[in-house]
Amino acid sequence: MLILFSMIFFSLNIKSWWLAQNFFFFFFFFMYFKIPMFNYFLNISYLFGMDMFSYLMFMLGTWIISLVYISSLNLKNIYLNYFNFLMFIFLIIFYFCFFSNNFIMFYIFYEINLIPVIILIYGWGYQYERFKAGFYLFIYMIFFSLPFFSCLLNLNNTVFLFMYYFDYLNNLNFYYYLFLMMIFLVKMPLFLFHIWLPKAHVEAPICGSMILAGIMLKLGGFGIYHILMLVFKVNLNLNYFFISLCLIGMMVLSLVCFFQSDLKILIAYSSVVHMGLVIIGFLTLNNWGYFGSLILMFGHGLCSSGLFCLSNICYLRFKSRSLFLNKGLINIYPFLSFWWFLLCSSNMSFPPSFNLFGELFLLISLMIWLDYFYLLYFLIMILMFLYSLYLYLYTQYGKLFFNMNYLVYINLTEYLLLFMHWVPLNLIFLIMELFC
């Protein structure tokens, strides 16, 4: 914390792009040596504490912010000091969110997280519609956060002073349960409350898309994990509704992916489908679901972020994200086509991708929870495979839109960026025991 707070004061005076980026890499490896080798608590105190879940999510956030600097080279000369300041603010907010033991403190920083995201979309976004996208994001979050806060104050129980307090709230009714859960389900997002996500992704710059997909959605999963410990008994009666809604929504949105012509919207809907799996994993209330959700959140953060980087690389060349213009790329960028294949295969959970292990765990958890639901899950997995294949084939093959004005070669930095997304995503299964 001292390192982060001291760097905030220097961030406005840092004139070097790479100096700030190297600091995040340094901080990542600094945290790496504090790895807890068990799934219990570490460094616990009145305000802060760490378990494996919070540690892994924070490490993912630090890694994604490190890669943001490599992906955003086109923003290098646009308000550099303010950009550095925002990135340090993000890291401090994630630190307080993932390591806080106090529900009130977690809630405060969970909501403060909105401010830098909206500044990022408004300040470095693309079209004029970014103001509408930021408004959607703000309204969705605030509308569901105020009932949550009123529940915290109304219950007035010591349980909310400590997030790791393993006791159930028996005096809850349906409305309490809904208000306590919806703030996190909207952030994930749950089907029918997902409209803000595609809009925010389309209008955000590449750094905003990476932070949204890589870390912000994981805050919702982290919150659900802690709230479910408290509302366990009510959830036993009501999770049937949410799991059914998630399964139907995942199937509908998988079909919607086939009708998208914008690369970013397609990848954003893919994120919603993967987060639906994570919600199902938590609501099945067993160890398979818990570990599967943790694994899939980690894998999705890297995979989705990498796909957004690929779409941005194509956008910088063709000045369009349309699938009708980004065609035949294998003819001019064969090496980039190779990276499209690797990341699309990871998105369709091809071995040895980390997504595969997460989806297998979640399949087992769903089969334990209810027998015949796994048939619908199989259908969704087939659709996920098909839209990832559709994304790859449609962009790499077909008649080339050959516009020489935009034909710029891919530089080594961009290949390095894709490499640093793909390697942890496909090799981290070698230390799977950390996640289980």
PDB file of all heavy atoms in Angstrom, residues 292-325:
ATOM      1  N   GLY A 292     -14.271 -24.282 -10.277  1.00  0.00           N
ATOM      2  CA  GLY A 292     -14.479 -24.065 -11.715  1.00  0.00           C
ATOM      3  C   GLY A 292     -14.691 -22.602 -12.044  1.00  0.00           C
ATOM      4  O   GLY A 292     -14.163 -22.087 -13.036  1.00  0.00           O
ATOM      5  N   SER A 293     -15.463 -21.894 -11.188  1.00  0.00           N
ATOM      6  CA  SER A 293     -15.701 -20.464 -11.417  1.00  0.00           C
ATOM      7  C   SER A 293     -14.406 -19.668 -11.278  1.00  0.00           C
ATOM      8  O   SER A 293     -14.140 -18.755 -12.070  1.00  0.00           O
ATOM      9  CB  SER A 293     -16.737 -19.933 -10.429  1.00  0.00           C
ATOM     10  OG  SER A 293     -17.972 -20.542 -10.639  1.00  0.00           O
ATOM     11  N   LEU A 294     -13.604 -20.005 -10.278  1.00  0.00           N
ATOM     12  CA  LEU A 294     -12.324 -19.319 -10.085  1.00  0.00           C
ATOM     13  C   LEU A 294     -11.409 -19.524 -11.287  1.00  0.00           C
ATOM     14  O   LEU A 294     -10.808 -18.575 -11.813  1.00  0.00           O
ATOM     15  CB  LEU A 294     -11.655 -19.839  -8.807  1.00  0.00           C
ATOM     16  CG  LEU A 294     -10.224 -19.370  -8.515  1.00  0.00           C
ATOM     17  CD1 LEU A 294     -10.167 -17.851  -8.466  1.00  0.00           C
ATOM     18  CD2 LEU A 294      -9.721 -19.953  -7.206  1.00  0.00           C
ATOM     19  N   ILE A 295     -11.325 -20.762 -11.775  1.00  0.00           N
ATOM     20  CA  ILE A 295     -10.465 -21.078 -12.918  1.00  0.00           C
ATOM     21  C   ILE A 295     -10.960 -20.357 -14.168  1.00  0.00           C
ATOM     22  O   ILE A 295     -10.179 -19.762 -14.917  1.00  0.00           O
ATOM     23  CB  ILE A 295     -10.427 -22.602 -13.145  1.00  0.00           C
ATOM     24  CG1 ILE A 295      -9.660 -23.297 -12.015  1.00  0.00           C
ATOM     25  CG2 ILE A 295      -9.797 -22.950 -14.484  1.00  0.00           C
ATOM     26  CD1 ILE A 295      -9.838 -24.794 -11.983  1.00  0.00           C
ATOM     27  N   LEU A 296     -12.287 -20.389 -14.396  1.00  0.00           N
ATOM     28  CA  LEU A 296     -12.825 -19.773 -15.612  1.00  0.00           C
ATOM     29  C   LEU A 296     -12.683 -18.257 -15.571  1.00  0.00           C
ATOM     30  O   LEU A 296     -12.423 -17.629 -16.609  1.00  0.00           O
ATOM     31  CB  LEU A 296     -14.300 -20.165 -15.795  1.00  0.00           C
ATOM     32  CG  LEU A 296     -14.890 -19.816 -17.156  1.00  0.00           C
ATOM     33  CD1 LEU A 296     -14.148 -20.539 -18.275  1.00  0.00           C
ATOM     34  CD2 LEU A 296     -16.363 -20.158 -17.228  1.00  0.00           C
ATOM     35  N   MET A 297     -12.842 -17.644 -14.403  1.00  0.00           N
ATOM     36  CA  MET A 297     -12.642 -16.189 -14.301  1.00  0.00           C
ATOM     37  C   MET A 297     -11.210 -15.816 -14.657  1.00  0.00           C
ATOM     38  O   MET A 297     -10.967 -14.839 -15.366  1.00  0.00           O
ATOM     39  CB  MET A 297     -12.975 -15.699 -12.890  1.00  0.00           C
ATOM     40  CG  MET A 297     -14.449 -15.532 -12.646  1.00  0.00           C
ATOM     41  SD  MET A 297     -14.822 -14.394 -11.310  1.00  0.00           S
ATOM     42  CE  MET A 297     -14.204 -15.258  -9.919  1.00  0.00           C
ATOM     43  N   PHE A 298     -10.268 -16.596 -14.163  1.00  0.00           N
ATOM     44  CA  PHE A 298      -8.863 -16.314 -14.465  1.00  0.00           C
ATOM     45  C   PHE A 298      -8.586 -16.502 -15.960  1.00  0.00           C
ATOM     46  O   PHE A 298      -7.961 -15.651 -16.604  1.00  0.00           O
ATOM     47  CB  PHE A 298      -7.974 -17.251 -13.632  1.00  0.00           C
ATOM     48  CG  PHE A 298      -6.576 -16.759 -13.461  1.00  0.00           C
ATOM     49  CD1 PHE A 298      -6.226 -15.938 -12.403  1.00  0.00           C
ATOM     50  CD2 PHE A 298      -5.586 -17.107 -14.367  1.00  0.00           C
ATOM     51  CE1 PHE A 298      -4.938 -15.471 -12.248  1.00  0.00           C
ATOM     52  CE2 PHE A 298      -4.293 -16.645 -14.227  1.00  0.00           C
ATOM     53  CZ  PHE A 298      -3.963 -15.831 -13.164  1.00  0.00           C
ATOM     54  N   GLY A 299      -9.063 -17.617 -16.514  1.00  0.00           N
ATOM     55  CA  GLY A 299      -8.833 -17.888 -17.939  1.00  0.00           C
ATOM     56  C   GLY A 299      -9.529 -16.886 -18.832  1.00  0.00           C
ATOM     57  O   GLY A 299      -8.961 -16.410 -19.819  1.00  0.00           O
ATOM     58  N   HIS A 300     -10.771 -16.526 -18.483  1.00  0.00           N
ATOM     59  CA  HIS A 300     -11.514 -15.570 -19.305  1.00  0.00           C
ATOM     60  C   HIS A 300     -10.861 -14.197 -19.297  1.00  0.00           C
ATOM     61  O   HIS A 300     -10.836 -13.503 -20.314  1.00  0.00           O
ATOM     62  CB  HIS A 300     -12.955 -15.462 -18.795  1.00  0.00           C
ATOM     63  CG  HIS A 300     -13.707 -14.326 -19.382  1.00  0.00           C
ATOM     64  ND1 HIS A 300     -13.802 -13.099 -18.762  1.00  0.00           N
ATOM     65  CD2 HIS A 300     -14.364 -14.195 -20.547  1.00  0.00           C
ATOM     66  CE1 HIS A 300     -14.497 -12.276 -19.519  1.00  0.00           C
ATOM     67  NE2 HIS A 300     -14.856 -12.913 -20.605  1.00  0.00           N
ATOM     68  N   GLY A 301     -10.299 -13.789 -18.140  1.00  0.00           N
ATOM     69  CA  GLY A 301      -9.646 -12.481 -18.056  1.00  0.00           C
ATOM     70  C   GLY A 301      -8.512 -12.347 -19.060  1.00  0.00           C
ATOM     71  O   GLY A 301      -8.348 -11.295 -19.691  1.00  0.00           O
ATOM     72  N   LEU A 302      -7.740 -13.410 -19.234  1.00  0.00           N
ATOM     73  CA  LEU A 302      -6.617 -13.371 -20.181  1.00  0.00           C
ATOM     74  C   LEU A 302      -7.093 -13.543 -21.621  1.00  0.00           C
ATOM     75  O   LEU A 302      -6.638 -12.844 -22.529  1.00  0.00           O
ATOM     76  CB  LEU A 302      -5.611 -14.465 -19.827  1.00  0.00           C
ATOM     77  CG  LEU A 302      -4.848 -14.264 -18.509  1.00  0.00           C
ATOM     78  CD1 LEU A 302      -4.170 -15.545 -18.081  1.00  0.00           C
ATOM     79  CD2 LEU A 302      -3.832 -13.145 -18.656  1.00  0.00           C
ATOM     80  N   CYS A 303      -8.019 -14.482 -21.840  1.00  0.00           N
ATOM     81  CA  CYS A 303      -8.456 -14.804 -23.201  1.00  0.00           C
ATOM     82  C   CYS A 303      -9.241 -13.653 -23.826  1.00  0.00           C
ATOM     83  O   CYS A 303      -8.975 -13.243 -24.958  1.00  0.00           O
ATOM     84  CB  CYS A 303      -9.311 -16.070 -23.163  1.00  0.00           C
ATOM     85  SG  CYS A 303      -9.919 -16.577 -24.763  1.00  0.00           S
ATOM     86  N   SER A 304     -10.210 -13.109 -23.083  1.00  0.00           N
ATOM     87  CA  SER A 304     -11.037 -12.029 -23.608  1.00  0.00           C
ATOM     88  C   SER A 304     -10.199 -10.772 -23.840  1.00  0.00           C
ATOM     89  O   SER A 304     -10.355 -10.078 -24.852  1.00  0.00           O
ATOM     90  CB  SER A 304     -12.166 -11.745 -22.625  1.00  0.00           C
ATOM     91  OG  SER A 304     -13.089 -10.864 -23.169  1.00  0.00           O
ATOM     92  N   SER A 305      -9.283 -10.491 -22.925  1.00  0.00           N
ATOM     93  CA  SER A 305      -8.395  -9.341 -23.087  1.00  0.00           C
ATOM     94  C   SER A 305      -7.535  -9.493 -24.342  1.00  0.00           C
ATOM     95  O   SER A 305      -7.339  -8.533 -25.100  1.00  0.00           O
ATOM     96  CB  SER A 305      -7.528  -9.199 -21.838  1.00  0.00           C
ATOM     97  OG  SER A 305      -6.590  -8.176 -21.987  1.00  0.00           O
ATOM     98  N   GLY A 306      -7.024 -10.708 -24.589  1.00  0.00           N
ATOM     99  CA  GLY A 306      -6.223 -10.959 -25.786  1.00  0.00           C
ATOM    100  C   GLY A 306      -7.021 -10.779 -27.060  1.00  0.00           C
ATOM    101  O   GLY A 306      -6.522 -10.220 -28.054  1.00  0.00           O
ATOM    102  N   LEU A 307      -8.295 -11.218 -27.064  1.00  0.00           N
ATOM    103  CA  LEU A 307      -9.132 -11.047 -28.259  1.00  0.00           C
ATOM    104  C   LEU A 307      -9.431  -9.575 -28.525  1.00  0.00           C
ATOM    105  O   LEU A 307      -9.464  -9.133 -29.676  1.00  0.00           O
ATOM    106  CB  LEU A 307     -10.440 -11.824 -28.089  1.00  0.00           C
ATOM    107  CG  LEU A 307     -10.338 -13.338 -28.261  1.00  0.00           C
ATOM    108  CD1 LEU A 307     -11.628 -14.021 -27.823  1.00  0.00           C
ATOM    109  CD2 LEU A 307     -10.020 -13.708 -29.701  1.00  0.00           C
ATOM    110  N   PHE A 308      -9.641  -8.796 -27.457  1.00  0.00           N
ATOM    111  CA  PHE A 308      -9.837  -7.355 -27.652  1.00  0.00           C
ATOM    112  C   PHE A 308      -8.576  -6.703 -28.227  1.00  0.00           C
ATOM    113  O   PHE A 308      -8.665  -5.784 -29.047  1.00  0.00           O
ATOM    114  CB  PHE A 308     -10.232  -6.684 -26.343  1.00  0.00           C
ATOM    115  CG  PHE A 308     -11.687  -6.823 -26.012  1.00  0.00           C
ATOM    116  CD1 PHE A 308     -12.107  -7.491 -24.876  1.00  0.00           C
ATOM    117  CD2 PHE A 308     -12.653  -6.295 -26.853  1.00  0.00           C
ATOM    118  CE1 PHE A 308     -13.448  -7.623 -24.575  1.00  0.00           C
ATOM    119  CE2 PHE A 308     -14.000  -6.425 -26.569  1.00  0.00           C
ATOM    120  CZ  PHE A 308     -14.401  -7.091 -25.423  1.00  0.00           C
ATOM    121  N   CYS A 309      -7.403  -7.177 -27.799  1.00  0.00           N
ATOM    122  CA  CYS A 309      -6.148  -6.654 -28.366  1.00  0.00           C
ATOM    123  C   CYS A 309      -6.051  -6.972 -29.855  1.00  0.00           C
ATOM    124  O   CYS A 309      -5.626  -6.130 -30.656  1.00  0.00           O
ATOM    125  CB  CYS A 309      -4.946  -7.242 -27.631  1.00  0.00           C
ATOM    126  SG  CYS A 309      -4.755  -6.613 -25.972  1.00  0.00           S
ATOM    127  N   LEU A 310      -6.456  -8.182 -30.231  1.00  0.00           N
ATOM    128  CA  LEU A 310      -6.430  -8.550 -31.653  1.00  0.00           C
ATOM    129  C   LEU A 310      -7.377  -7.676 -32.471  1.00  0.00           C
ATOM    130  O   LEU A 310      -7.022  -7.221 -33.567  1.00  0.00           O
ATOM    131  CB  LEU A 310      -6.830 -10.020 -31.808  1.00  0.00           C
ATOM    132  CG  LEU A 310      -5.723 -11.054 -31.607  1.00  0.00           C
ATOM    133  CD1 LEU A 310      -6.316 -12.443 -31.512  1.00  0.00           C
ATOM    134  CD2 LEU A 310      -4.718 -10.998 -32.744  1.00  0.00           C
ATOM    135  N   SER A 311      -8.568  -7.438 -31.939  1.00  0.00           N
ATOM    136  CA  SER A 311      -9.519  -6.597 -32.687  1.00  0.00           C
ATOM    137  C   SER A 311      -8.986  -5.172 -32.809  1.00  0.00           C
ATOM    138  O   SER A 311      -9.188  -4.510 -33.835  1.00  0.00           O
ATOM    139  CB  SER A 311     -10.888  -6.597 -31.996  1.00  0.00           C
ATOM    140  OG  SER A 311     -10.844  -5.880 -30.788  1.00  0.00           O
ATOM    141  N   ASN A 312      -8.269  -4.696 -31.783  1.00  0.00           N
ATOM    142  CA  ASN A 312      -7.694  -3.350 -31.852  1.00  0.00           C
ATOM    143  C   ASN A 312      -6.560  -3.268 -32.866  1.00  0.00           C
ATOM    144  O   ASN A 312      -6.415  -2.259 -33.570  1.00  0.00           O
ATOM    145  CB  ASN A 312      -7.178  -2.950 -30.466  1.00  0.00           C
ATOM    146  CG  ASN A 312      -6.680  -1.531 -30.430  1.00  0.00           C
ATOM    147  OD1 ASN A 312      -7.428  -0.599 -30.667  1.00  0.00           O
ATOM    148  ND2 ASN A 312      -5.386  -1.358 -30.171  1.00  0.00           N
ATOM    149  N   ILE A 313      -5.751  -4.334 -32.952  1.00  0.00           N
ATOM    150  CA  ILE A 313      -4.666  -4.358 -33.948  1.00  0.00           C
ATOM    151  C   ILE A 313      -5.248  -4.250 -35.351  1.00  0.00           C
ATOM    152  O   ILE A 313      -4.743  -3.513 -36.203  1.00  0.00           O
ATOM    153  CB  ILE A 313      -3.826  -5.647 -33.781  1.00  0.00           C
ATOM    154  CG1 ILE A 313      -2.995  -5.579 -32.500  1.00  0.00           C
ATOM    155  CG2 ILE A 313      -2.904  -5.864 -34.975  1.00  0.00           C
ATOM    156  CD1 ILE A 313      -2.334  -6.886 -32.114  1.00  0.00           C
ATOM    157  N   CYS A 314      -6.362  -4.967 -35.607  1.00  0.00           N
ATOM    158  CA  CYS A 314      -7.013  -4.887 -36.917  1.00  0.00           C
ATOM    159  C   CYS A 314      -7.643  -3.510 -37.127  1.00  0.00           C
ATOM    160  O   CYS A 314      -7.599  -2.961 -38.241  1.00  0.00           O
ATOM    161  CB  CYS A 314      -8.080  -5.973 -37.048  1.00  0.00           C
ATOM    162  SG  CYS A 314      -7.402  -7.638 -37.059  1.00  0.00           S
ATOM    163  N   TYR A 315      -8.207  -2.942 -36.066  1.00  0.00           N
ATOM    164  CA  TYR A 315      -8.835  -1.626 -36.178  1.00  0.00           C
ATOM    165  C   TYR A 315      -7.815  -0.551 -36.548  1.00  0.00           C
ATOM    166  O   TYR A 315      -8.097   0.349 -37.356  1.00  0.00           O
ATOM    167  CB  TYR A 315      -9.521  -1.271 -34.857  1.00  0.00           C
ATOM    168  CG  TYR A 315     -10.114   0.112 -34.831  1.00  0.00           C
ATOM    169  CD1 TYR A 315     -11.299   0.402 -35.499  1.00  0.00           C
ATOM    170  CD2 TYR A 315      -9.482   1.150 -34.143  1.00  0.00           C
ATOM    171  CE1 TYR A 315     -11.847   1.671 -35.483  1.00  0.00           C
ATOM    172  CE2 TYR A 315     -10.017   2.426 -34.124  1.00  0.00           C
ATOM    173  CZ  TYR A 315     -11.197   2.677 -34.796  1.00  0.00           C
ATOM    174  OH  TYR A 315     -11.734   3.943 -34.793  1.00  0.00           O
ATOM    175  N   LEU A 316      -6.610  -0.644 -35.969  1.00  0.00           N
ATOM    176  CA  LEU A 316      -5.573   0.357 -36.270  1.00  0.00           C
ATOM    177  C   LEU A 316      -5.127   0.279 -37.722  1.00  0.00           C
ATOM    178  O   LEU A 316      -4.647   1.271 -38.275  1.00  0.00           O
ATOM    179  CB  LEU A 316      -4.368   0.149 -35.338  1.00  0.00           C
ATOM    180  CG  LEU A 316      -4.606   0.456 -33.852  1.00  0.00           C
ATOM    181  CD1 LEU A 316      -3.380   0.107 -33.035  1.00  0.00           C
ATOM    182  CD2 LEU A 316      -4.971   1.919 -33.660  1.00  0.00           C
ATOM    183  N   ARG A 317      -5.270  -0.909 -38.364  1.00  0.00           N
ATOM    184  CA  ARG A 317      -4.854  -1.053 -39.762  1.00  0.00           C
ATOM    185  C   ARG A 317      -5.974  -0.664 -40.731  1.00  0.00           C
ATOM    186  O   ARG A 317      -5.747   0.006 -41.715  1.00  0.00           O
ATOM    187  CB  ARG A 317      -4.436  -2.507 -40.045  1.00  0.00           C
ATOM    188  CG  ARG A 317      -2.964  -2.770 -39.826  1.00  0.00           C
ATOM    189  CD  ARG A 317      -2.628  -2.835 -38.376  1.00  0.00           C
ATOM    190  NE  ARG A 317      -1.184  -2.813 -38.115  1.00  0.00           N
ATOM    191  CZ  ARG A 317      -0.681  -2.677 -36.919  1.00  0.00           C
ATOM    192  NH1 ARG A 317      -1.478  -2.525 -35.878  1.00  0.00           N
ATOM    193  NH2 ARG A 317       0.620  -2.663 -36.744  1.00  0.00           N
ATOM    194  N   PHE A 318      -7.195  -1.127 -40.451  1.00  0.00           N
ATOM    195  CA  PHE A 318      -8.291  -0.962 -41.404  1.00  0.00           C
ATOM    196  C   PHE A 318      -9.247   0.165 -41.029  1.00  0.00           C
ATOM    197  O   PHE A 318     -10.180   0.444 -41.767  1.00  0.00           O
ATOM    198  CB  PHE A 318      -9.072  -2.271 -41.519  1.00  0.00           C
ATOM    199  CG  PHE A 318      -8.308  -3.362 -42.211  1.00  0.00           C
ATOM    200  CD1 PHE A 318      -7.565  -4.278 -41.491  1.00  0.00           C
ATOM    201  CD2 PHE A 318      -8.317  -3.456 -43.593  1.00  0.00           C
ATOM    202  CE1 PHE A 318      -6.855  -5.273 -42.116  1.00  0.00           C
ATOM    203  CE2 PHE A 318      -7.608  -4.450 -44.236  1.00  0.00           C
ATOM    204  CZ  PHE A 318      -6.870  -5.359 -43.495  1.00  0.00           C
ATOM    205  N   LYS A 319      -9.033   0.765 -39.840  1.00  0.00           N
ATOM    206  CA  LYS A 319      -9.895   1.841 -39.348  1.00  0.00           C
ATOM    207  C   LYS A 319     -11.358   1.410 -39.289  1.00  0.00           C
ATOM    208  O   LYS A 319     -12.268   2.226 -39.440  1.00  0.00           O
ATOM    209  CB  LYS A 319      -9.766   3.101 -40.228  1.00  0.00           C
ATOM    210  CG  LYS A 319      -8.366   3.647 -40.318  1.00  0.00           C
ATOM    211  CD  LYS A 319      -7.811   3.996 -38.975  1.00  0.00           C
ATOM    212  CE  LYS A 319      -6.375   4.502 -39.058  1.00  0.00           C
ATOM    213  NZ  LYS A 319      -5.698   4.522 -37.766  1.00  0.00           N
ATOM    214  N   SER A 320     -11.566   0.129 -39.072  1.00  0.00           N
ATOM    215  CA  SER A 320     -12.927  -0.390 -38.941  1.00  0.00           C
ATOM    216  C   SER A 320     -12.880  -1.693 -38.155  1.00  0.00           C
ATOM    217  O   SER A 320     -11.917  -2.456 -38.270  1.00  0.00           O
ATOM    218  CB  SER A 320     -13.545  -0.630 -40.317  1.00  0.00           C
ATOM    219  OG  SER A 320     -14.772  -1.315 -40.176  1.00  0.00           O
ATOM    220  N   ARG A 321     -13.941  -1.942 -37.382  1.00  0.00           N
ATOM    221  CA  ARG A 321     -14.049  -3.232 -36.674  1.00  0.00           C
ATOM    222  C   ARG A 321     -15.070  -4.131 -37.344  1.00  0.00           C
ATOM    223  O   ARG A 321     -15.442  -5.169 -36.805  1.00  0.00           O
ATOM    224  CB  ARG A 321     -14.451  -2.996 -35.218  1.00  0.00           C
ATOM    225  CG  ARG A 321     -13.391  -2.341 -34.362  1.00  0.00           C
ATOM    226  CD  ARG A 321     -13.822  -2.312 -32.920  1.00  0.00           C
ATOM    227  NE  ARG A 321     -15.111  -1.660 -32.759  1.00  0.00           N
ATOM    228  CZ  ARG A 321     -15.259  -0.358 -32.517  1.00  0.00           C
ATOM    229  NH1 ARG A 321     -14.203   0.419 -32.384  1.00  0.00           N
ATOM    230  NH2 ARG A 321     -16.458   0.159 -32.385  1.00  0.00           N
ATOM    231  N   SER A 322     -15.542  -3.747 -38.525  1.00  0.00           N
ATOM    232  CA  SER A 322     -16.569  -4.524 -39.205  1.00  0.00           C
ATOM    233  C   SER A 322     -15.989  -5.842 -39.721  1.00  0.00           C
ATOM    234  O   SER A 322     -14.894  -5.890 -40.288  1.00  0.00           O
ATOM    235  CB  SER A 322     -17.131  -3.725 -40.380  1.00  0.00           C
ATOM    236  OG  SER A 322     -17.971  -4.539 -41.148  1.00  0.00           O
ATOM    237  N   LEU A 323     -16.755  -6.921 -39.534  1.00  0.00           N
ATOM    238  CA  LEU A 323     -16.327  -8.224 -40.052  1.00  0.00           C
ATOM    239  C   LEU A 323     -16.303  -8.245 -41.570  1.00  0.00           C
ATOM    240  O   LEU A 323     -15.582  -9.021 -42.179  1.00  0.00           O
ATOM    241  CB  LEU A 323     -17.289  -9.322 -39.550  1.00  0.00           C
ATOM    242  CG  LEU A 323     -17.023  -9.902 -38.163  1.00  0.00           C
ATOM    243  CD1 LEU A 323     -18.161 -10.808 -37.759  1.00  0.00           C
ATOM    244  CD2 LEU A 323     -15.724 -10.685 -38.151  1.00  0.00           C
ATOM    245  N   PHE A 324     -17.094  -7.356 -42.194  1.00  0.00           N
ATOM    246  CA  PHE A 324     -17.161  -7.345 -43.660  1.00  0.00           C
ATOM    247  C   PHE A 324     -15.914  -6.711 -44.277  1.00  0.00           C
ATOM    248  O   PHE A 324     -15.613  -6.941 -45.442  1.00  0.00           O
ATOM    249  CB  PHE A 324     -18.418  -6.604 -44.123  1.00  0.00           C
ATOM    250  CG  PHE A 324     -19.671  -7.187 -43.569  1.00  0.00           C
ATOM    251  CD1 PHE A 324     -20.459  -6.483 -42.684  1.00  0.00           C
ATOM    252  CD2 PHE A 324     -20.063  -8.475 -43.916  1.00  0.00           C
ATOM    253  CE1 PHE A 324     -21.610  -7.034 -42.152  1.00  0.00           C
ATOM    254  CE2 PHE A 324     -21.213  -9.033 -43.396  1.00  0.00           C
ATOM    255  CZ  PHE A 324     -21.991  -8.316 -42.511  1.00  0.00           C
ATOM    256  N   LEU A 325     -15.200  -5.900 -43.490  1.00  0.00           N
ATOM    257  CA  LEU A 325     -13.975  -5.271 -43.999  1.00  0.00           C
ATOM    258  C   LEU A 325     -12.735  -6.002 -43.508  1.00  0.00           C
ATOM    259  O   LEU A 325     -11.717  -6.022 -44.187  1.00  0.00           O
ATOM    260  CB  LEU A 325     -13.915  -3.801 -43.565  1.00  0.00           C
ATOM    261  CG  LEU A 325     -15.066  -2.916 -44.054  1.00  0.00           C
ATOM    262  CD1 LEU A 325     -14.837  -1.483 -43.636  1.00  0.00           C
ATOM    263  CD2 LEU A 325     -15.225  -3.007 -45.562  1.00  0.00           C
TER     264      LEU A 325
END
